[in-house]
Amino acid sequence: MGMVMHCLLMYRRVCWFVVFVHLYTFALSFSLKQYTVGGIELGNHLFESRLVLSNDCRSDPFIVLSTSSYFLSCEDLGGVGSFNTTCLINSNLYLNSDLEVYGTGNLEILPHVSIKCPVDGCAITFNMSGNVNLGQHVTIIAGSVAIAAANLTVEYNSSINTASLGGSPPSQTSGTPVGNDGAGGGHGGRGASCLKNNKTNYWGGDVYAWSTLSKPWSYGSKGGGTSGQNQFGGNGGGCVKLIVKDMLYLNGSVTAEGGDGGLKGGGGSGGSIYIEAIKLKGYGTISAAGGRGWGGGGGGRISLYCYSIQEDIKVIVHGGFSIGCPGNSGAAGTYFNAYLLSLRVGNDNVTTETETPLLDFPTSPLWSNVFVENNAKALVPLLWSRVQVRGQISLYRGGTVVFGLSAYPVSEFELVAEELLMSDSIIKVYGAFRVYTKMLLMWNSKILIDGVGNTVVTASFLEVRNLVVLRENSVISSNTNLGVYGQGLLRLTGHGDAIKGQRLSLSLFYNIIVGPGSLLQAPLDDDTSRSVVTKSLCETRACPIDLITPPDDCHVNYTLSFSLQICRVEDLLVNGIMKGSIIHIHRARTVIIDADGLITASELGCSKGIGKGNYSNGAGSGAGHGGRGGAGCFNGLVSNGGDEYGDADLPCELGSGTEGPNSSYGRVFGGGMIVMGSTQWPLLRLGIYGSLRADGQSFGKETMNGNGSLVGGLGGGSGGTVLLFLQELVLAENSSLSVSGGSGGPRGGGGGGGGRVHFHWSNIGIGEEYVPFASISGLINNSGGAGNQGGLFGDEGTVTGKKCPEGLYGTFCKECPIGTYKNVEGSDEDLCTPCPLEDLPNRAFFIYERGGVRKPFCPYKCISEKYRMPNCYTPLEELIYTFGGPWPFALLLSGILVLLALFLSTLRIKLVQSHSCGANIGRQSSHFSPHLLSLSEVQGTRAEESQSHVYRMYFMGPNTFREPWHLPYSPPDAIIEIVYEDAFNRFIDEINSVAAYNWWEGSVHSILSVLAYPFAWSWKQWRRRNKIQRLKEYVKSEYDHSCLRSCRSRALYKGMKVGATPDLMVAYIDFFLGGDEKRVEMVSYIQKRFPMCIIFGGNGSYMSPYNLHSDTLLANLLGQHIPPTVWNRFVAGLNAQLRTVRHGSIRSALVPVMNWINSHGDPQLEFHSVKIELGWFQATASGYYQLGILVVAGDYTIHNVHHPDLVGRSHSECLRKDAASLGKSLKQHQQSLPYSSHALSRKKITGGINGCLINDATLRSMDFKRDFLFPFSLLLHNTRPVGRQGTLQLLITIMLLADLSVTLLTLLQFYWISLGAFLAILLILPLSLLSPFPAGLNALFSKEPRRSSLARVYALWNATSFSNIVVAFFCGIFHYGFSSFHPPDNTRREDDQWWLLPTILLLFKSIQARFVDWHIANLEIQDFSLYCPDPDAFWAHEPCS
């Protein structure tokens, strides 16, 4: 009673004192600085109010002194200074009552100073506006300690200690255990109890103060005693409150631990610690751990309200060690981060079986994180509880959370968080569990849901929106229905990872990966769980409608047929094991079973079933399903196998098993059922690289009857069902899909029948939309099980597919073989009918058609892409057969060409005016040159010029770019007296330089010779004309005639004139007298004209045949001896003979000319005292020589010409008859061209012209050269005229059109063969193949005098095009002779006749060439009497008969 009165008196004093202090501090608050930390105002008045201790820790927190004693000074505490400035306490204080210090300054407790109040519940309070510093080894000990400061520093080895000094805990709490069990006290965690049995776990003191978790201020509870003498164990921990405006630097310790109960009492529970600061730094310790005792005390409660906490601060709330039961320490207390709203329950790896109850979680505001770690064990005990945080719920390092009570597993729990992270931890749920989180990560952890198989308990759901990962033997298991939902990835990483349930549904994930060694299983392994799932299906033949047409939503309950469901999952990858009685994969996109993966329903079907096996007198038969079970045989007794059942086209039954007469015989299960996809939502792709099985169970053990003797074993179970609704299947090599029956038991057991496999294909493409959807390289096993020792094998099961549409056949709807068609629905291979061969072209073969052939006419393809459909013709053949075939096309083309030729001929006759047929032969013969008339004719020749003419000096050489014209040095004898020799030689140098060609002219000619020879010939003729004009201008205008002796000739520039033959092959300079010579000299000069050499024009080629050009000057000169008519007739006849002389065969060609001169010319000319001899003249160093005639007139004779005075002594060999000697000298000349000493044997005739007369002896010795174009002379050669010019021109027109037509057809043919061949034929030589047609039209429609020359150009183009034909033959031989393309043996290559068109073209061009030759002859020789063999008729101009 005295004690009570004392307390009442003190309470009154305190109340008056508090009133006074409030008035005083209110006045000071206006002058104190205000602080805000994280939205918390830390003014001095807040400090005041916060330091007022509640009744939980101390009803009176102030020192009971007199009124004046409240204002303790620094000196009163043995210090130096003032509390309003700085107070240094350097003396130890030992108190027996509460202490409160107040001031506006700083407080520093120097090292090794201790302030102790070792009384339970004693309160020490420091309320300072400045800084508080506890030096090293400073100790403050009391039941409760409260410090308020701007900054607080606790140095090394300093401590604020309220351990085991707690006062009484709050009323109406059960923190102190009841009884004498020595249990620990409870506070933040339960105290441990070392009493327990198999059903109930006991604990000591219970938890309290959950509502003040964020600002704890409760004493810990005492531990229980072990006897009446020892009623209590260790004391509870005290209270600590530290309020710091800015930074708390903690290098020491702050403790509120429970007391030690020893062997005779339980440990006390930890107290309360609340710290509020902006920054908490240092390396110190904050502990509210439970005390040690017979039963360890529970941990206390710690709350830190700090913006920043250094990680080196150690916070301890573990339970105390239990001496009586070392494995069951006190439960962990709570550590709450009030700023982050984060709860941490950690036991610092102290082993316990005592829980830390977590009561209701706040909903506003939500906590951010909850951590259960380090062997802490948390309990959520409510019947319905919702654990919701904004961030993570994490269980680490042995942490355990238990939801519900094991004795009442009917509760429902919800866990809502952003992330659920588990590492080496466990969540146990008694009842139903619902998780809503974004991420679930498990490492060697377990979620165990125990509904005791009670159907009253609703299904558990784990809804994880983003990611579920199980690693290192993590397991999620439920003995009731379990659904795991998500929108991201579900990954079971490796061995030991598993998700199990009685019924299991995984749905809404984007990907599910079942890693190697991991497991998805439903039902569980016990028979009870299996029976719950399969019982209803084993007793009925009805097909579960929810498997064939399942509902759109994904849920799990007891009314559904499946045991394991994958629903609305994009991709499923199985590297581990999926195991279930009824596996249903619904609304998935792809399923991949990797090489080590297994989806199995084997041995998980019915133990009896519709097709159950029989057992009679020791004979056990196999169960039936897709095939009948094998009969069992034992000691002559036979037991028939189970019957077939189910629909092969839509199977949906479990396999049947076999049971013995009683449980001792055992039982055998059939295969389960695997359904993938549905009629509405088929599987997009199934890739099997491992195994997919629904096999029946085999029976392998020996069976005994009641007397212990062995009897026959049970038969094997039948295979189950694999029903696949899918679009694409890959059954890879070394993979398997099996529904085989199980093997029969020893001593005559029959094998189980095979199961059923059905592929229900969806969206089978037809025609071009068809894509092969089944790749089968592995094994599909539907065999029956093997019998044992007389037991029969079970029959095979069925493997069926959906009926295939038209064009497809078989189980996997493959395309009918090439060359067959199918126009009905069905899967039988015999429905593919062979296509008729009558409609197949010769160059074609049947080809593959996507989706198979659905019509009787099978598609085909030509043996090469070059042939054109549908008849496999070449473009040429397609053109030909368009008009009825080769012969109709040829006749039609011929008719068109004839009509077109007639039209062109008519047009030509109207447009072209023919020249008069009465033109003289000489004039006609002069028109054969393609370009140029005689310069003498163009300029005209006056009669007086012939009187003053002295000599005609011919240029030497062929006038080519390599060997241009040139004049020899030294003047001839005929003019040596009218010229100055030195000046003449200078003139020779100058005119030879003018006659030479530039290098680029020859280069252009060479290039054109390669590309287009007719152009090269035209270029050469053009340059020749320019050269003649240049020579003419030079002699006439530029040269001063200084070599002439005649002054008049030099003055008038009339002593020399340049001329040339019309074919531009021969040029010459005529020398004339000036008129100022003496008469005697003039007569002498004129007498030297004869004998006269006249050089033939031309070179014996097709374009330039030999001809004798008689200009007016020559005619006038010879007219002095021969009448002009005789001379002109002779010239015309001689030219008619010369035009057929070819240089390449000059030996034989000159014989008719010589004979003609002898028979026709000489007799008439000799009458006029003129003798004509044929000879060669002006041989050059290159071996080129010119043909001509030697004219001897008047008193001169050939004999006189041979006189030594004229010929010279060194050249008399030319007149010898020894042809061999002459031939030898000729050959020496040809072989030694550059050396004049070995030159051709020459004869100086008429003043220096080198040459020799041609007779029978010299003709045989004449040598000649043939160039590479000589073969063309077989086609291009000048002939005699044939007449019928109109008909001939019509034929040429027809051949020209035919040539063009065949040329185009040939190009079309070779374009089809090869583009390279087409270009080669067209461009080798360029333009040659197509140019004959325009050249021919140009020649036919041209007018005189260029008709014959253009005809020769046309003939030249025609001959040049032979090179293109040769290229065509080479290309054809190369393509068809060396081509790697070989058509099939059963095809015919009509294009082997590729050579036909080039051959026809070659024939046409040959005929065309001959027609052109005749045409040119008709144009140039219109007087056929020139070829009259009768000389008299010839000279009489009479036509030959």
Side-chain angles (χ1 to χ4, degrees):
M1 180 62 71
M3 181 64 69
V4 173
M5 293 299 295
H6 176 72
C7 288
L8 291 175
L9 290 174
M10 288 192 66
Y11 183 75
R12 291 177 181 176
R13 293 175 182 175
V14 168
C15 290
W16 284 105
F17 186 75
V18 168
V19 171
F20 176 78
V21 169
H22 274 284
L23 292 174
Y24 180 76
T25 57
F26 178 75
L28 290 177
S29 63
F30 292 102
S31 62
L32 293 178
K33 183 179 179 180
Q34 305 294 318
Y35 293 89
T36 302
V37 181
I40 303 170
E41 190 174 297
L42 299 179
N44 230 13
H45 60 285
L46 292 178
F47 278 29
E48 185 79 18
S49 62
R50 286 175 180 169
L51 287 174
V52 175
L53 303 182
S54 66
N55 291 335
D56 293 343
C57 268
R58 180 75 168 94
S59 59
D60 188 357
F62 302 106
I63 300 175
V64 180
L65 296 173
S66 62
T67 303
S68 60
S69 67
Y70 173 76
F71 300 99
L72 294 174
S73 65
C74 181
E75 290 79 3
D76 294 338
L77 299 181
V80 178
S82 170
F83 289 130
N84 292 326
T85 56
T86 299
C87 175
L88 302 178
I89 299 178
N90 55 6
S91 301
N92 295 331
L93 298 178
Y94 189 89
L95 306 175
N96 56 9
S97 61
D98 298 341
L99 171 65
E100 179 175 358
V101 174
Y102 173 80
T104 59
N106 302 321
L107 173 64
E108 182 175 355
I109 303 176
L110 298 181
H112 300 283
V113 172
S114 61
I115 300 176
K116 298 181 179 179
C117 183
V119 179
D120 293 350
C122 178
I124 295 178
T125 302
F126 294 101
N127 192 345
M128 306 295 295
S129 298
N131 299 329
V132 175
N133 185 20
L134 305 183
Q136 297 183 11
H137 301 283
V138 170
T139 302
I140 298 177
I141 299 175
S144 66
V145 176
I147 300 176
N151 294 283
L152 173 63
T153 300
V154 181
E155 298 289 353
Y156 291 101
N157 296 320
S158 296
S159 63
I160 298 174
N161 189 359
T162 63
S164 191
L165 290 175
S168 301
S171 59
Q172 299 180 352
T173 60
S174 54
T176 301
V178 178
N180 298 321
D181 301 329
H187 181 198
R190 287 172 173 172
S193 173
C194 292
L195 292 179
K196 64 178 182 178
N197 55 30
N198 293 332
K199 294 183 179 180
T200 306
N201 290 333
Y202 290 93
W203 62 86
D206 210 344
V207 297
Y208 55 90
W210 176 264
S211 61
T212 60
L213 185 69
S214 60
K215 293 183 179 180
W217 194 252
S218 300
Y219 293 120
S221 299
K222 295 181 178 181
T226 57
S227 64
Q229 291 78 15
N230 299 310
Q231 294 183 0
F232 300 102
N235 266 355
C239 299
V240 177
K241 178 181 291 186
L242 305 177
I243 306 298
V244 181
K245 292 181 180 180
D246 189 5
M247 185 175 73
L248 169 58
Y249 199 85
L250 177 63
N251 284 325
S253 61
V254 177
T255 57
E257 297 177 347
D260 187 353
L263 296 176
K264 296 183 179 181
S269 62
S272 299
I273 299 176
Y274 176 69
I275 297 177
E276 182 177 316
I278 293 179
K279 300 176 183 178
L280 174 60
K281 293 186 177 181
Y283 303 91
T285 301
I286 302 172
S287 176
R292 180 175 175 273
W294 183 257
R301 299 192 186 277
I302 297 176
S303 177
L304 305 180
Y305 190 81
C306 302
Y307 177 77
S308 172
I309 300 176
Q310 185 172 326
E311 293 183 355
D312 297 316
I313 297 293
K314 187 176 182 180
V315 180
I316 300 173
V317 288
H318 65 75
F321 179 74
S322 297
I323 300 174
C325 46
N328 184 22
S329 301
T334 61
Y335 160 39
F336 188 76
N337 189 323
Y339 185 82
L340 299 178
L341 300 179
S342 174
L343 174 65
R344 188 178 297 270
V345 180
N347 215 32
D348 292 332
N349 294 319
V350 177
T351 305
T352 183
E353 295 180 7
T354 306
E355 299 94 349
T356 299
L358 305 179
L359 304 178
D360 56 328
F361 281 65
T363 58
S364 179
L366 293 174
W367 288 351
S368 59
N369 302 300
V370 173
F371 301 94
V372 179
E373 57 189 7
N374 300 329
N375 289 327
K377 190 173 184 179
L379 171 66
V380 181
L382 304 180
L383 180 64
W384 182 90
S385 180
R386 181 185 182 95
V387 178
Q388 183 174 4
V389 298
R390 290 185 287 111
Q392 299 177 359
I393 295 180
S394 304
L395 287 76
Y396 299 138
R397 297 178 291 279
T400 302
V401 176
V402 180
F403 291 86
L405 305 174
S406 58
Y408 305 98
V410 293
S411 303
E412 296 182 13
F413 302 95
E414 290 186 2
L415 189 153
V416 182
E418 288 291 307
E419 300 174 359
L420 174 58
L421 309 179
M422 301 178 65
S423 175
D424 301 303
S425 56
I426 299 173
I427 293 179
K428 292 182 179 179
V429 180
Y430 297 99
F433 191 42
R434 297 176 182 175
V435 177
Y436 304 94
T437 182
K438 288 183 178 180
M439 186 180 299
L440 170 59
L441 303 180
M442 299 177 64
W443 179 285
N444 190 27
S445 301
K446 293 178 174 59
I447 297 178
L448 306 176
I449 303 172
D450 185 3
V452 199
N454 195 340
T455 58
V456 176
V457 177
T458 59
S460 296
F461 300 101
L462 278 68
E463 185 175 329
V464 185
R465 292 188 292 278
N466 291 344
L467 181 64
V468 179
V469 178
L470 282 69
R471 297 178 65 92
E472 299 296 328
N473 301 303
S474 296
V475 178
I476 300 175
S477 178
S478 172
N479 58 6
T480 59
N481 296 341
L482 174 63
V484 182
Y485 303 147
Q487 299 175 4
L489 172 67
L490 168 60
R491 183 185 185 95
L492 284 71
T493 305
H495 184 77
D497 299 327
I499 301 178
K500 305 177 183 180
Q502 179 173 287
R503 278 188 175 87
L504 176 62
S505 176
L506 308 177
S507 59
L508 303 177
F509 287 97
Y510 188 81
N511 283 336
I512 294 180
I513 300 176
V514 183
S518 57
L519 174 66
L520 292 177
Q521 178 181 350
L524 303 177
D525 292 326
D526 59 283
D527 291 344
T528 302
S529 179
R530 180 187 307 171
S531 176
V532 170
V533 176
T534 62
K535 182 177 180 181
S536 61
L537 297 179
C538 291
E539 298 174 353
T540 179
R541 294 178 178 268
C543 189
I545 192 64
D546 60 309
L547 296 180
I548 307 303
T549 56
D552 290 339
D553 58 338
C554 302
H555 60 277
V556 53
N557 57 52
Y558 287 96
T559 64
L560 298 176
S561 301
F562 67 84
S563 64
L564 173 58
Q565 181 189 58
I566 308 292
C567 179
R568 290 196 175 190
V569 172
E570 288 290 317
D571 302 307
L572 170 63
L573 175 61
V574 181
N575 278 316
I577 300 174
M578 282 183 59
K579 180 179 179 182
S581 295
I582 305 167
I583 300 176
H584 187 204
I585 300 177
H586 170 47
R587 294 191 71 171
R589 191 169 66 104
T590 60
V591 176
I592 304 296
I593 306 173
D594 214 342
D596 298 325
L598 171 64
I599 296 180
T600 179
S602 298
E603 305 176 8
L604 294 174
C606 302
S607 60
K608 293 183 179 180
I610 300 172
K612 66 180 180 179
N614 301 309
Y615 189 83
S616 176
N617 297 322
S621 64
H625 182 199
R628 187 178 180 84
C633 298
F634 179 72
N635 290 337
L637 299 176
V638 177
S639 177
N640 294 327
D643 296 330
E644 295 182 16
Y645 61 94
D647 182 3
D649 291 331
L650 195 63
C652 51
E653 311 87 12
L654 297 173
S656 299
T658 304
E659 291 186 350
N662 54 58
S663 60
S664 64
Y665 282 76
R667 54 184 174 178
V668 175
F669 290 90
M673 180 163 49
I674 300 175
V675 180
M676 295 187 183
S678 63
T679 54
Q680 186 178 3
W681 302 101
L683 192 65
L684 184 62
R685 183 174 185 269
L686 171 61
I688 304 176
Y689 302 90
S691 298
L692 179 66
R693 296 181 173 275
D695 298 331
Q697 186 178 9
S698 298
F699 190 79
K701 67 178 183 179
E702 299 282 351
T703 304
M704 296 183 182
N705 59 12
N707 56 16
S709 61
L710 295 175
V711 296
L714 301 177
S718 62
T721 295
V722 174
L723 177 58
L724 304 176
F725 298 88
L726 73 167
Q727 296 185 22
E728 182 181 352
L729 170 66
V730 175
L731 186 62
E733 189 175 357
N734 299 323
S735 63
S736 63
L737 192 160
S738 178
V739 288
S740 62
S743 299
R747 299 181 180 274
R756 297 188 185 275
V757 178
H758 179 70
F759 302 95
H760 196 88
W761 308 111
S762 299
N763 299 327
I764 301 176
I766 299 176
E768 290 298 325
E769 297 179 358
Y770 173 79
V771 176
F773 46 79
S775 174
I776 308 299
S777 300
L779 173 66
I780 298 179
N781 185 8
N782 62 330
S783 63
N788 185 279
Q789 296 181 4
L792 301 182
F793 280 69
D795 293 342
E796 283 190 352
T798 60
V799 178
T800 60
K802 183 181 178 182
K803 288 185 178 181
C804 300
E806 297 176 356
L808 308 175
Y809 79 100
T811 302
F812 304 103
C813 289
K814 299 184 295 184
E815 296 147 320
C816 284
I818 296 175
T820 62
Y821 71 95
K822 176 174 168 284
N823 55 1
V824 294
E825 287 190 355
S827 301
D828 192 351
E829 185 176 2
D830 295 336
L831 296 176
C832 295
T833 307
C835 293
L837 298 176
E838 293 78 9
D839 298 328
L840 184 67
N842 291 328
R843 293 198 192 106
F845 55 91
F846 290 119
I847 60 171
Y848 161 82
E849 179 177 326
R850 176 176 288 185
V853 182
R854 293 171 291 160
K855 298 179 181 180
F857 182 75
C858 293
Y860 58 86
K861 182 181 180 182
C862 300
I863 59 176
S864 172
E865 294 294 337
K866 295 180 179 181
Y867 297 104
R868 296 194 176 186
M869 296 292 286
N871 297 314
C872 295
Y873 289 150
T874 66
L876 178 60
E877 290 173 340
E878 191 170 346
L879 176 62
I880 291 174
Y881 283 98
T882 301
F883 296 97
W887 289 112
F889 177 77
L891 293 175
L892 179 62
L893 181 60
S894 300
I896 294 174
L897 294 180
V898 170
L899 292 176
L900 188 58
L902 291 173
F903 170 76
L904 291 176
S905 296
T906 304
L907 184 62
R908 177 181 54 79
I909 292 172
K910 291 184 177 182
L911 295 179
V912 178
Q913 299 297 329
S914 300
H915 282 262
S916 174
C917 294
N920 59 74
I921 296 176
R923 180 167 180 79
Q924 291 174 8
S925 63
S926 67
H927 291 166
F928 81 93
S929 176
H931 298 292
L932 189 65
L933 296 177
S934 170
L935 295 178
S936 300
E937 292 176 4
V938 173
Q939 297 173 1
T941 302
R942 296 189 299 235
E944 58 271 16
E945 287 184 350
S946 61
Q947 298 299 325
S948 62
H949 181 267
V950 177
Y951 183 72
R952 175 167 287 183
M953 187 176 184
Y954 288 95
F955 282 85
M956 301 175 64
N959 192 21
T960 62
F961 298 106
R962 291 186 177 182
E963 188 177 1
W965 282 325
H966 60 279
L967 291 175
Y969 292 94
S970 299
D973 295 340
I975 63 170
I976 194 169
E977 295 181 4
I978 66 171
V979 298
Y980 298 108
E981 186 171 357
D982 292 340
F984 179 81
N985 290 334
R986 290 193 297 272
F987 166 72
I988 294 301
D989 287 333
E990 294 175 3
I991 199 165
N992 283 346
S993 65
V994 173
Y997 291 99
N998 294 318
W999 67 267
W1000 58 269
E1001 295 175 298
S1003 300
V1004 172
H1005 180 266
S1006 300
I1007 294 172
L1008 292 178
S1009 297
V1010 175
L1011 298 178
Y1013 184 76
F1015 285 156
W1017 184 84
S1018 298
W1019 168 262
K1020 182 168 63 175
Q1021 292 299 101
W1022 179 42
R1023 301 316 299 167
R1024 282 175 174 174
R1025 289 197 305 273
N1026 291 343
K1027 188 61 63 178
I1028 288 293
Q1029 187 66 25
R1030 180 73 184 94
L1031 290 172
K1032 172 181 172 292
E1033 292 176 355
Y1034 175 77
V1035 172
K1036 180 180 178 182
S1037 303
E1038 299 180 19
Y1039 181 60
D1040 58 1
H1041 292 218
S1042 60
C1043 67
L1044 299 177
R1045 294 179 183 270
S1046 171
C1047 295
R1048 187 172 183 270
S1049 296
R1050 292 198 304 269
L1052 299 178
Y1053 285 19
K1054 290 185 178 182
M1056 293 184 294
K1057 289 186 179 181
V1058 176
T1061 58
D1063 58 5
L1064 307 179
M1065 292 298 297
V1066 176
Y1068 50 83
I1069 297 179
D1070 288 318
F1071 289 86
F1072 301 93
L1073 296 175
D1076 55 352
E1077 294 88 354
K1078 296 179 181 180
R1079 184 63 182 173
V1080 176
E1081 293 176 353
M1082 294 180 63
V1083 173
S1084 175
Y1085 297 151
I1086 293 173
Q1087 287 177 350
K1088 295 180 181 180
R1089 294 174 179 170
F1090 294 95
M1092 178 185 292
C1093 288
I1094 303 177
I1095 305 299
F1096 293 158
N1099 58 0
S1101 65
Y1102 179 74
M1103 300 302 292
S1104 298
Y1106 290 121
N1107 69 93
L1108 175 59
H1109 174 62
S1110 177
D1111 55 16
T1112 307
L1113 179 60
L1114 286 179
N1116 292 337
L1117 289 175
L1118 292 173
Q1120 300 173 10
H1121 303 278
I1122 307 172
T1125 55
V1126 175
W1127 173 249
N1128 290 335
R1129 184 64 175 177
F1130 170 79
V1131 170
L1134 181 59
N1135 285 338
Q1137 299 298 324
L1138 286 176
R1139 72 185 315 277
T1140 61
V1141 176
R1142 293 197 298 267
H1143 182 74
S1145 57
I1146 195 169
R1147 294 176 183 174
S1148 59
L1150 282 179
V1151 172
V1153 178
M1154 295 172 58
N1155 293 336
W1156 185 87
I1157 292 175
N1158 293 332
S1159 62
H1160 289 65
D1162 286 345
Q1164 183 68 24
L1165 296 178
E1166 288 177 356
F1167 178 77
H1168 299 285
S1169 301
V1170 175
K1171 180 65 176 177
I1172 299 295
E1173 286 292 341
L1174 190 64
W1176 60 265
F1177 308 96
Q1178 301 198 144
T1180 64
S1182 65
Y1184 178 80
Y1185 56 88
Q1186 296 168 316
L1187 294 182
I1189 59 173
L1190 180 64
V1191 181
V1192 181
D1195 297 335
Y1196 289 92
T1197 64
I1198 296 300
H1199 177 72
N1200 297 133
V1201 174
H1202 291 172
H1203 193 274
D1205 293 338
L1206 296 176
V1207 178
R1209 292 174 296 176
S1210 63
H1211 299 285
S1212 60
E1213 296 85 359
C1214 185
L1215 297 180
R1216 297 177 183 176
K1217 303 300 182 179
D1218 190 356
S1221 176
L1222 181 58
K1224 181 177 180 181
S1225 64
L1226 288 169
K1227 292 180 180 178
Q1228 289 177 352
H1229 168 72
Q1230 296 293 337
Q1231 298 171 0
S1232 306
L1233 298 179
Y1235 304 97
S1236 59
S1237 62
H1238 299 282
L1240 177 64
S1241 179
R1242 302 174 182 177
K1243 186 175 176 70
K1244 289 188 177 181
I1245 303 174
T1246 66
I1249 297 181
N1250 296 326
C1252 183
L1253 299 182
I1254 298 175
N1255 52 33
D1256 293 338
T1258 59
L1259 180 62
R1260 289 191 298 270
S1261 63
M1262 290 184 65
D1263 205 353
F1264 56 88
K1265 292 190 297 183
R1266 293 175 177 174
D1267 57 16
F1268 68 97
L1269 296 177
F1270 175 75
F1272 287 101
S1273 65
L1274 300 176
L1275 295 173
L1276 300 181
H1277 59 271
N1278 294 296
T1279 64
R1280 295 186 177 187
V1282 296
R1284 303 185 182 275
Q1285 183 71 345
T1287 303
L1288 187 59
Q1289 289 182 343
L1290 176 61
L1291 292 176
I1292 291 175
T1293 305
I1294 294 174
M1295 295 306 299
L1296 186 64
L1297 294 173
D1299 176 274
L1300 177 64
S1301 301
V1302 177
T1303 297
L1304 295 178
L1305 294 177
T1306 303
L1307 288 176
L1308 178 62
Q1309 180 186 27
F1310 279 90
Y1311 179 79
W1312 167 82
I1313 291 175
S1314 168
L1315 180 60
F1318 170 80
L1319 294 177
I1321 295 170
L1322 190 62
L1323 300 178
I1324 303 176
L1325 298 171
L1327 307 177
S1328 297
L1329 191 61
L1330 297 177
S1331 295
F1333 181 74
L1337 289 180
N1338 188 30
L1340 290 175
F1341 282 84
S1342 63
K1343 299 180 180 181
E1344 289 290 356
R1346 302 183 65 232
R1347 295 188 67 189
S1348 62
S1349 61
L1350 292 178
R1352 290 181 186 275
V1353 173
Y1354 161 43
L1356 195 59
W1357 277 114
N1358 183 63
T1360 308
S1361 65
F1362 275 80
S1363 62
N1364 302 80
I1365 301 176
V1366 173
V1367 173
F1369 278 104
F1370 274 113
C1371 291
I1373 293 172
F1374 178 81
H1375 180 79
Y1376 290 103
F1378 303 100
S1379 176
S1380 59
F1381 169 71
H1382 297 287
D1385 295 335
N1386 60 344
T1387 59
R1388 182 162 56 91
R1389 288 285 298 271
E1390 295 179 357
D1391 55 315
D1392 287 339
Q1393 300 178 358
W1394 61 270
W1395 52 268
L1396 188 59
L1397 279 178
T1399 303
I1400 294 175
L1401 185 59
L1402 180 64
L1403 181 62
F1404 280 179
K1405 287 187 177 293
S1406 301
I1407 297 173
Q1408 193 177 176
R1410 180 49 53 93
F1411 284 171
V1412 174
D1413 292 341
W1414 291 340
H1415 170 64
I1416 294 173
N1418 287 340
L1419 291 176
E1420 296 179 349
I1421 307 295
Q1422 298 183 10
D1423 185 1
F1424 294 165
S1425 65
L1426 296 176
Y1427 291 98
C1428 187
D1430 184 6
D1432 295 334
F1434 167 77
W1435 290 106
H1437 296 271
E1438 295 178 358
C1440 299
S1441 57

